Amino acid sequence: MSGKRVFHLHLVSDATGETLNTVARAACAQYEDARPVEHVYALVRGPKQLERVLGEIEAAPGIVMFTMVNEELRDRLERRCRELQSPCISVLDPAMQALGQYLGKESSHKPGSQHIMDAEYFGRITALNFTMAHDDGQSGGDLNEADIILLGVSRTSKTPTCIYLANRGIKAANIPIVPGAMLPPDLETADHPLIVGLTTSPDRLVQIRKNRLLSLHEKADTDYVEPEVVAEEVAFARKLFARNGWPVIDVTRRSIEETAAAVLNLYNERQKTS
């Protein structure tokens, strides 16, 4: 981290700030020699809240990024930033302007519109409940109700990938593959869900498992991290995937988001042909 330029990044939102944070981090990730000190302000919807934010910006000048639909608050923020000579960027304006021109309509100017508690919102809640109830091989005989089932040996990012998918409204279950252990009986008869195998390189898997044991203060001299045993596990899983004709995703160099995106691509392709 030494040698990196440190700068203050103020993220101001009239909603949860989720969209803003994602955009800001994606942009900052392109500058490896710089490190932002994030100041996050969510649900900024009134003058008093904004004044507090402006005081923070004045105390630690830097770049300001915002998502706000209230014109008065926007104007106040932009004016003060100009006075402080702090760059001030509305991250949604280009997309909103393009949409407005194309549709020939004005936006609703409602803060947090994407978080309205509609059918889609409750669908995500249902998906998350299903995913948590079907984590790590748990099954009440209803695996066929899943949209996606992920299989893989221990520490192939099955659970976090499923949770990510659930937040997209996908009912995802995951099942660990352990040589010698039986798979859930209802997996064999499940014809509705897309079944995907996750694999990784044995060397990488050994390192991940060792780190996991260290975090739990457990001994690292077990078969769980023995290179030959791990290689056999991975080979066993690959043979299982091939035997059943399940698509396989190698997660060795993928983030959770990238793995989920690859799974969703397979899922969307399947939906088109079904």
Side-chain angles (χ1 to χ4, degrees), residues 168-230:
R168 300 287 294 272
I170 300 292
K171 291 194 289 185
N174 75 82
I175 299 170
I177 295 177
V178 180
M182 296 288 292
L183 294 173
D186 51 331
L187 179 65
E188 295 183 12
T189 58
D191 56 7
H192 168 70
L194 169 69
I195 302 174
V196 180
L198 302 184
T199 189
T200 188
S201 75
D203 291 343
R204 175 63 173 157
L205 189 55
V206 168
Q207 189 58 52
I208 292 173
R209 289 183 175 184
K210 283 182 176 179
N211 291 339
R212 174 62 173 168
L213 291 178
L214 284 173
S215 70
L216 297 174
H217 304 291
E218 294 185 6
K219 294 185 296 183
D221 58 351
T222 68
D223 286 347
Y224 186 66
V225 294
E226 176 61 40
E228 289 185 4
V229 175
V230 173

Side-chain angles (χ1 to χ4, degrees), residues 141-161:
D142 57 350
L143 278 178
N144 203 44
E145 294 180 16
D147 297 312
I148 293 172
I149 299 175
L150 301 183
L151 291 94
V153 300
S154 174
R155 312 314 297 175
T156 48
S157 69
K158 299 184 299 299
T159 295
T161 302

